[in-house]
Amino acid sequence: MLPAAPDEWTIFEAAHLLRRAGFGGSPDEIKVFHALGRKKAVDALLAPDEALDAFPLPEWASREVAAEEMRERAMEVREMRQRTRDMTPEQADRTRRQFNQQRQRESRQRSAEAQGWWFERMLKTKAPLREKMVLFWHDHFATSFQKVRLPVLLIQQNELFRRYATGSFKDLTHEIVKDAAMMLYLDTQSSKKGKPNENFAREVMELFTLGEGNYTEQDIKEAARAFTGYQINRGNGAVTHNRRQADNGEKTIFSRKGKYDGDGVVDLIFEQSAASRLIPTKLWEYFVAENPPKEGIDALAKSFKDADFKIEPLLREIFLSKSFYAEKVMRDQIKSPIQYLVQMFKELELREAPEAYVLSAQQQLGQVLFMPPNVAGWDWGKAWINTNTLLSRYNVAGFITKGSQENEPVRNDGDGDGMMMEMEERKPARLGNAMKRAERNWAGPDYEKVAPRALREDPEKLIDSLLFRFFQSPLGPKEREAFVEYARSKKGAVFTNKETGELCHLILSTPQYQLA
Amino acid sequence: MKTRREFLRSTVLGASASWTVPMFVERTFADLHMGARDLATQPVTGKDGTILVVLQLAGGNDGLNTVVPFADDAYHKARPRLAKREKEIITLNDYVGLNSSMPYLGSLFKEGNLGVVQGVGYPNPNRSHFVSTSIWETADIENRSNTGWIGRYFDNACSGADPTVGISLNKTQPESFGALKNPGVCLSSPELYRWIHGGGEKAQAEEFFASLNSPEDDDLPAEGASIDMPAGGKVGGIQGESNLAFLERVAMDARVSSAKILELAAKHKTKVNYEGTPIARSLNMVSRLIAGGMPTRVYYVSHGGFDTHNQQVNSHDRLLGQLDRALKSFFADLKAQGNAERVVLMTFSEFGRRVGENASAGTDHGRASCLFLAGEGVKGGLYGKYPSLTDLDQGDLKHTVDFRGVYASVIQGWLKTNAKPILKGDYPTMPIIG
């Protein structure tokens, strides 16, 4: 067990827990959270009072509708084959192309809906740790719209992550073997007896459970044979294990012989000692700090194994530990773009986000939901920041804090005027319009609430209040004094909401604000 | 070009009489004068150094329809709908010719300023866009490296350089810029590459912003920053550097480069016409920055859309035409500036396409492809052996030239430094430069 922290805690520690185990909160939310005491606050995070289905899925993402659509699709494909049979090759190509283009349009539209749905959930949820863990699993078992192409499969995988958010990692890994999005992403869908595809077998060991160096190439080859025969039924989306396509022969994996199937391999994996170290290490990096100390991971690995790979006790141990609240840990994590955005909205007490703008901001800042760059997920920490993304963060903050009235909008890709790269596909016109609408209509935060008029009469109090809102820690005295001076110069008749927005923008345009 | 410290001293100190510069910045200046001892040593750049422009053809360029083996029956057989006939190409020799969408490159070849490297690839190629791009950018075929090949060049050969030693005209930093010490800077658009204040008392707020984003002390080690170990992550970073120190450093790099780049972008007007395509705009920007005398050694630009699975002919010819016209404007512009002989441009793409066309008159992900080196510093001609179109590996061309050999030729021949520590090995070079 990690040495525990006492139940008494400071409001800064409470804010730290809410930032790391969630997406932060408004000053009032932090005060309520602090009043619970450390232990009850951790309990509240781990046992949230919010149903798993509290946020209804987009209609097309429900299992029933999805299955119905799949049947229709299969029929359409058959019909199109019939129709193109008598056409010239050119005509047939054109028909097929039109068919595919329409599919792609719909798929892009749905991807954007799914991205908006999840972002809104993160912003509004009363179960922030759960959503933060969903993001953790999405990064860990990374799959992307770019290869999977069917948004419904990713949103259902997202629901899987929510069900298992703090549950058994072992059970979740068993589920992932039969998850349709993962099967398409890592090619288990097309892995057949006699021609096994090693993609999933390799990643499940290297990235998902054991880590490099804890298996042999032979283990991968043999495990790949065991992951054959899993198929997605194109008629209803169900995953089945087709005995005829599966390699049922004897395999030798981790020096054990047996006629293993996919589940058998997962069971074998969890008998390896490395399986109890990888996730504690990643969780430490995700919630606490990079480069975890060996003793810390030793302690957690033991707890993890004793708990039969359940996540909940592991998180409790971390959030109640002394190390989690160490001085060098607090406010020293570079926010991911998603953390940055959600936390900023919460701190500004915004309940709604300009949806298309948020998606565009994710692209500019380098983390688009449902589109991790590869199976290893995103690179965290310093990798989020370069000169371009840092300036983009400052400018996104400018747009959000000030609203659209006199702001030069941060331009979207492909809108023509700027020097834009054509790295990604151009966004469909509809999304481009939504983006323009979002830019035109964004009113900005309610500054009467964020910085009440009375407070503006006292620059010192105003700054302290805003610094607590945005940093939840005492900022260096020099920086504080600089902001106080700025506020002083704006005091009195000119200190309108516009000046408040400007001040907030400056406070957010700092290296310090990039840290959580 | 100013170093970080010089920048602070001249620009902000000059303005420090204004109340908007807070005390903590002013106090820093006293330290800065003391700190002049580690004034960065500038690499050979400025007005006369050589410059490399790396141009990525993103998506996997079809080498077969770029440098066309028109005389090969196997080519026409494999691509009944896509193959270029002899009259549709610009002949380079009796076997290959350039896609006729590239008349400028054709003339460059005749003038002896275009090197065409054929059959470029690497062992055990990967058909994933991402992995293969990463391999090209890190020059590590195991794809395990934390740093990129250009970043390692910055680290090894440009110690103490200004952050603008490398400029990527991209939204995000290309993996090839990944460095331990100096990863260069990126920008997607010069107009947006700045802190956007948006109304109000702009000058005041911007100055205040500037002071907020000047680190109190940039704590780079005094003696040329010798760093042995990466701090982890694909971007590298300085060992032991705290996250805040890192953020302050990037903020400072952004400020220094943003001010300079905006100034130059606004100042220099090109007399040459460029098309409105993204690649032409990017190259226009590069040429303006070169004209402005940036100390940049390597520029990085991207031209996307080469993932031509469907109806390839129109899209591929169009992309190559855009490339050709952009390069034509770019080199004409450099010539007008008197900088033509300082610049070599190299293209690359993560892989080529399959030899045979697919059912939708497109091509799928393949392996070996060609790349171009252009500029007055290039010894024009054909390099490498065109891969056999009949001796294939699962339908794909077998590479005849390792891309790291091309990098080595550029690093040694053009950037004039030892390639071995940068590429972490010896690769056979070709006499394509000089």
Side-chain angles (χ1 to χ4, degrees):
Chain A
M1 283 286 280
L2 297 170
D7 195 43
E8 282 195 359
W9 62 345
T10 66
I11 194 155
F12 298 130
E13 288 178 310
H16 167 68
L17 176 61
L18 202 55
R19 283 196 306 269
R20 295 287 180 92
F23 303 95
S26 68
D28 287 344
E29 285 168 330
I30 293 168
K31 279 171 200 149
V32 171
F33 192 64
H34 175 239
L36 290 174
R38 199 186 312 254
K39 196 168 165 299
K40 284 219 174 97
V42 170
D43 287 343
L45 286 168
L46 286 166
D49 183 22
E50 180 175 275
L52 284 168
D53 59 0
F55 292 76
L57 290 171
E59 200 196 342
W60 49 263
S62 80
R63 283 200 176 273
E64 298 73 35
V65 176
E68 179 57 34
E69 275 198 358
M70 283 219 185
R71 274 190 291 277
E72 282 173 23
R73 282 294 161 74
M75 221 153 68
E76 279 170 28
V77 170
R78 275 197 300 276
E79 276 172 18
M80 201 196 49
R81 278 207 203 107
Q82 292 275 332
R83 259 189 303 142
T84 51
R85 196 160 290 163
D86 305 322
M87 294 181 181
T88 64
E90 286 75 23
Q91 278 176 321
D93 262 340
R94 204 174 311 126
T95 310
R96 271 194 293 271
R97 205 163 63 243
Q98 280 163 356
F99 183 74
N100 290 336
Q101 275 168 352
Q102 206 207 315
R103 285 250 179 113
Q104 279 163 12
R105 257 198 305 279
E106 183 189 80
S107 167
R108 275 199 293 266
Q109 187 59 37
R110 288 180 172 186
S111 300
E113 275 178 54
Q115 285 158 329
W117 176 82
W118 190 13
F119 189 87
E120 190 188 333
R121 184 158 194 163
M122 287 194 235
L123 183 59
K124 293 184 177 165
T125 183
K126 295 195 188 74
L129 176 58
R130 188 196 279 154
E131 291 310 311
K132 194 113 177 198
M133 280 306 295
V134 176
L135 184 59
F136 176 85
W137 293 125
H138 175 45
D139 179 65
H140 183 72
F141 292 114
T143 54
S144 165
F145 284 142
Q146 275 175 325
K147 181 159 176 185
V148 176
R149 302 216 175 249
L150 291 166
V152 61
L153 298 184
L154 268 129
I155 214 165
Q156 282 176 3
Q157 186 193 61
N158 195 258
E159 289 280 88
L160 172 71
F161 292 154
R162 199 162 284 108
R163 282 199 300 282
Y164 282 88
T166 59
S168 161
F169 171 55
K170 186 176 168 180
D171 292 351
L172 176 57
T173 307
H174 276 288
E175 294 282 349
I176 275 293
V177 172
K178 289 157 268 181
D179 175 73
M182 182 60 79
M183 287 174 59
L184 289 172
Y185 193 68
L186 290 184
D187 306 315
T188 12
Q189 156 74 359
S190 56
S191 189
K192 308 241 152 63
K193 180 180 176 178
K195 301 185 279 190
N197 185 311
E198 293 172 11
N199 210 357
F200 182 75
R202 179 179 302 279
E203 305 307 3
V204 78
M205 292 187 202
E206 177 187 329
L207 296 173
F208 301 163
T209 59
L210 299 176
E212 232 182 325
N214 296 306
Y215 51 85
T216 65
E217 284 300 305
Q218 188 62 23
D219 292 333
I220 288 176
K221 283 210 167 69
E222 294 281 281
R225 292 174 52 210
F227 289 117
T228 53
Y230 293 88
Q231 287 180 334
I232 303 167
N233 182 326
R234 297 228 173 247
N236 59 17
V239 170
T240 54
H241 195 214
N242 182 338
R243 285 274 149 197
R244 273 171 308 159
Q245 302 282 9
D247 182 338
N248 297 312
E250 191 173 79
K251 297 120 192 159
T252 307
I253 305 170
F254 306 126
S255 312
R256 298 263 300 272
K257 276 186 205 301
K259 296 185 171 179
Y260 303 110
D261 62 4
D263 283 322
V265 176
V266 172
D267 286 335
L268 280 182
I269 284 173
F270 279 87
E271 287 170 19
Q272 309 297 304
S273 65
S276 56
R277 297 191 70 85
L278 186 92
I279 287 293
T281 308
K282 275 190 93 164
L283 286 173
W284 190 293
E285 288 171 341
Y286 188 70
F287 287 112
V288 192
E290 290 162 49
N291 306 318
K294 188 180 169 295
E295 323 80 70
I297 299 303
D298 288 345
L300 288 179
K302 187 176 178 308
S303 311
F304 196 35
K305 188 131 193 255
D306 290 348
D308 199 21
F309 305 102
K310 285 194 189 68
I311 298 293
E312 199 244 28
L314 205 54
L315 294 181
R316 186 183 305 276
E317 194 172 336
I318 291 173
F319 297 143
L320 288 175
S321 73
K322 257 188 179 142
S323 349
F324 181 71
Y325 302 90
E327 205 183 327
K328 63 180 193 311
V329 167
M330 302 232 300
R331 289 210 58 79
D332 191 45
Q333 184 179 57
I334 295 176
K335 293 170 187 167
S336 71
I338 295 298
Q339 179 81 24
Y340 172 85
L341 289 167
V342 179
Q343 196 179 317
M344 178 166 58
F345 282 109
K346 284 176 156 299
E347 286 163 358
L348 288 164
E349 302 191 36
L350 290 159
R351 292 282 292 165
E352 300 293 334
E355 208 168 272
Y357 184 85
V358 165
L359 188 49
S360 161
Q362 287 175 27
Q363 286 169 349
Q364 291 174 44
L365 304 186
Q367 186 183 30
V368 183
L369 291 175
F370 296 113
M371 290 176 79
N374 64 1
V375 61
W378 289 281
D379 292 324
W380 290 68
K382 287 174 180 158
W384 295 124
I385 302 292
N386 60 52
T387 54
N388 204 33
T389 56
L390 187 60
L391 283 173
S392 295
R393 283 181 181 220
Y394 291 179
N395 292 334
V396 165
F399 176 75
I400 297 301
T401 50
K402 291 183 200 173
S404 57
Q405 59 275 25
E406 72 233 329
N407 203 38
E408 291 175 52
V410 176
R411 251 185 243 115
N412 188 15
D413 242 5
D415 274 1
D417 293 358
M419 291 228 331
M420 295 302 173
M421 301 286 110
E422 225 172 7
M423 288 292 288
E424 295 97 350
E425 286 175 76
R426 274 170 179 270
K427 266 188 279 309
R430 249 201 290 177
L431 198 57
N433 293 338
M435 172 76 190
K436 287 208 180 76
R437 252 197 326 277
E439 284 188 350
R440 242 194 336 268
N441 299 335
W442 181 244
D446 178 358
Y447 286 116
E448 304 296 335
K449 203 158 73 183
V450 171
R453 298 267 166 179
L455 209 51
R456 297 181 206 174
E457 294 306 314
D458 185 338
E460 300 230 5
K461 275 197 184 137
L462 172 68
I463 294 300
D464 285 341
S465 154
L466 288 176
L467 293 185
F468 180 75
R469 182 177 289 273
F470 295 123
F471 298 100
Q472 304 107 42
S473 77
L475 198 67
K478 285 175 283 189
E479 286 88 341
R480 178 182 173 277
E481 187 50 36
F483 285 121
V484 170
E485 272 198 44
Y486 193 84
R488 222 171 257 146
S489 84
K490 301 283 181 189
K491 187 176 163 270
V494 292
F495 214 142
T496 64
N497 287 342
K498 182 168 159 292
E499 275 78 27
T500 311
E502 201 169 274
L503 179 58
C504 288
H505 183 201
L506 279 167
I507 293 176
L508 304 191
S509 298
T510 50
Q512 285 87 347
Y513 187 67
Q514 314 315 314
L515 296 171
Chain B
M1 189 63 197
K2 294 184 176 72
T3 64
R4 293 182 184 88
R5 287 178 186 281
E6 284 177 310
F7 183 88
L8 268 178
R9 208 164 45 227
S10 63
T11 317
V12 192
L13 185 59
S16 71
S18 155
W19 67 270
T20 51
V21 177
M23 283 303 290
F24 72 89
V25 175
E26 282 205 56
R27 265 199 298 281
T28 309
F29 297 118
D31 304 337
L32 284 175
H33 288 294
M34 305 273 287
R37 66 182 185 276
D38 65 335
L39 201 65
T41 44
Q42 205 64 45
V44 193
T45 48
K47 292 286 179 205
D48 4 81
T50 52
I51 293 165
L52 175 67
V53 179
V54 175
L55 193 160
Q56 178 194 30
L57 305 178
N61 177 36
D62 180 15
L64 279 162
N65 271 22
T66 306
V67 177
V68 182
F70 67 90
D72 201 322
D73 287 341
Y75 168 71
H76 297 278
K77 211 182 217 164
R79 297 187 162 194
R81 281 175 288 178
L82 293 187
K84 301 280 174 196
R85 284 162 300 175
E86 191 172 349
K87 62 176 185 192
E88 290 176 302
I89 57 146
I90 302 159
T91 314
L92 301 184
N93 66 14
D94 56 10
Y95 182 72
V96 294
L98 284 178
N99 185 307
S100 60
S101 314
M102 302 189 293
Y104 172 70
L105 289 185
S107 64
L108 211 55
F109 187 86
K110 287 194 183 79
E111 291 159 19
N113 292 327
L114 181 74
V116 179
V117 189
Q118 317 176 98
V120 192
Y122 57 89
N124 303 313
N126 190 302
R127 286 211 193 93
S128 138
H129 289 296
F130 184 84
V131 176
S132 195
T133 302
S134 184
I135 285 168
W136 274 84
E137 304 232 13
T138 56
D140 173 10
I141 61 170
E142 300 290 328
N143 192 26
R144 299 270 185 249
S145 178
N146 285 326
T147 53
W149 73 281
I150 300 170
R152 290 197 296 276
Y153 160 70
F154 297 151
D155 280 344
N156 276 281
C158 311
S159 144
D162 189 272
T164 50
V165 65
I167 295 183
S168 154
L169 293 171
N170 267 331
K171 256 190 312 217
T172 52
Q173 191 189 16
E175 226 177 319
S176 51
F177 275 32
L180 299 184
K181 289 178 265 177
N182 188 350
V185 301
C186 13
L187 61 139
S188 54
S189 142
E191 304 90 66
L192 298 181
Y193 189 67
R194 63 190 179 92
W195 185 72
I196 298 171
H197 170 257
E201 287 159 80
K202 199 163 167 171
Q204 194 190 32
E206 287 187 357
E207 201 176 324
F208 184 73
F209 159 80
S211 68
L212 288 172
N213 283 279
S214 308
E216 279 192 61
D217 185 16
D218 87 24
D219 50 4
L220 288 168
E223 299 301 318
S226 86
I227 291 111
D228 303 318
M229 295 286 290
K234 287 263 183 194
V235 285
I238 293 171
Q239 176 80 356
E241 184 184 43
S242 74
N243 281 337
L244 184 58
F246 164 79
L247 282 159
E248 287 179 333
R249 191 161 57 86
V250 177
M252 191 63 199
D253 285 353
R255 278 227 317 110
V256 172
S257 54
S258 157
K260 192 77 192 166
I261 285 167
L262 269 170
E263 183 194 332
L264 291 179
K267 200 168 67 185
H268 183 79
K269 284 275 174 272
T270 170
K271 293 188 183 69
V272 173
N273 277 330
Y274 284 85
E275 273 188 339
T277 57
I279 184 60
R281 286 161 183 254
S282 295
L283 286 173
N284 184 0
M285 193 62 223
V286 170
S287 124
R288 284 157 74 186
L289 295 174
I290 290 173
M294 293 292 290
T296 307
R297 297 303 304 264
V298 183
Y299 291 92
Y300 187 105
V301 296
S302 270
H303 183 30
F306 285 87
D307 197 19
T308 46
H309 286 280
N310 268 297
Q311 304 299 315
Q312 177 179 307
V313 170
N314 292 337
S315 58
H316 190 240
D317 291 355
R318 179 176 50 83
L319 288 168
L320 293 180
Q322 289 174 352
L323 173 70
D324 191 71
R325 293 187 294 278
L327 290 176
K328 183 179 181 181
S329 304
F330 179 61
F331 281 106
D333 202 356
L334 290 176
K335 200 160 210 160
Q337 296 169 12
N339 279 321
E341 62 197 29
R342 292 177 58 206
V343 179
V344 160
L345 178 140
M346 178 183 79
T347 68
F348 82 96
S349 191
E350 67 266 38
F351 43 61
R353 317 294 297 184
R354 197 73 54 78
V355 176
E357 64 187 33
N358 66 21
S360 26
T363 51
D364 297 315
H365 300 187
R367 297 182 175 181
S369 185
C370 54
L371 66 73
F372 297 126
L373 277 153
E376 289 180 18
V378 173
K379 205 179 287 171
L382 289 160
Y383 293 86
K385 190 173 169 293
Y386 209 101
S388 163
L389 269 60
T390 47
D391 177 20
L392 301 176
D393 181 5
Q394 297 171 33
D396 282 332
L397 302 175
K398 295 177 180 171
H399 77 281
T400 58
V401 174
D402 191 307
F403 74 101
R404 292 165 295 182
V406 183
Y407 287 179
S409 311
V410 171
I411 292 166
Q412 295 188 165
W414 190 243
L415 298 173
K416 304 285 185 207
T417 191
N418 185 3
K420 191 172 177 176
I422 294 167
L423 300 178
K424 297 176 178 168
D426 282 313
Y427 298 95
T429 58
M430 49 187 69
I432 194 165
I433 304 253

